[in-house]
Amino acid sequence: MERKEVLYSVDEGIGRIVINRPEKKNALNIRARKRLIEILDEVARDETVQILVITGSGEEAFISGGDLNEMKDLTGIQMLRYIETYGQRLYNKFERLPIPTIALIKGYCFGGGCELAMACDIRIASPDATFSLP
């Protein structure tokens, strides 16, 4: 059975997203980014969700950025489409949600992970959180 890369649950009005790729320091690949977009669309339609929290699984990282192994072979045009479709579009969806969004950050918060955290309304960081926009 394939493990889900992005977990989503709702309990008593609180939506919770967990990026579940600890072996990759929760780097966002295209499949995870697509799933996040689906979840955000679902949250926008679900009036029972009053707040949305996002975090990463494991202890090393919130989100260490994009999955560089997946991006290394993209052409310039493919990279532009990737950034527009799975990058900025995703961050805009977080920013435009009509409910409060909270990023719970521990460990690495790099690149796209840092952008995603900045798109949230509130960021709560553990003492070991490290931020970088390379």
Side-chain angles (χ1 to χ4, degrees):
M1 183 170 98
E2 186 176 331
R3 184 186 68 213
K4 290 185 178 183
E5 296 177 326
V6 179
L7 307 173
Y8 176 62
S9 61
V10 179
D11 185 31
E12 296 185 18
I14 301 170
R16 181 173 172 83
I17 297 172
V18 178
I19 306 303
N20 190 32
R21 300 185 76 217
E23 73 287 352
K24 298 284 187 178
K25 296 181 179 49
N26 298 319
L28 295 176
N29 61 8
I30 290 175
R31 189 167 55 228
R33 289 173 183 270
K34 284 180 179 179
R35 180 64 184 128
L36 281 170
I37 289 169
E38 290 171 359
I39 290 168
L40 294 175
D41 288 341
E42 181 180 330
V43 168
R45 290 187 305 269
D46 186 347
E47 294 180 8
T48 67
V49 180
Q50 299 298 304
I51 191 166
L52 183 65
V53 177
I54 183 167
T55 193
S57 65
E59 297 301 316
E60 284 190 87
F62 168 66
I63 298 169
S64 63
D67 189 332
L68 298 179
N69 287 324
E70 188 176 77
M71 290 189 279
K72 68 181 175 156
D73 296 325
L74 296 179
T75 67
I77 296 295
Q78 288 171 325
M79 181 57 88
L80 180 61
R81 272 194 217 117
Y82 175 88
I83 291 168
E84 289 174 344
T85 306
Y86 304 117
Q88 196 58 50
R89 179 174 167 219
L90 172 62
Y91 311 136
N92 288 345
K93 281 186 171 286
F94 265 96
E95 189 173 315
R96 293 176 181 150
L97 273 179
I99 59 171
T101 54
I102 301 173
L104 296 180
I105 304 161
K106 62 185 175 291
Y108 301 120
C109 183
F110 291 174
C114 197
E115 289 181 81
L116 194 150
M118 289 188 295
C120 290
D121 297 305
I122 299 169
R123 288 152 298 283
I124 301 172
S126 68
D128 72 331
T130 304
F131 298 84
S132 176
L133 281 171

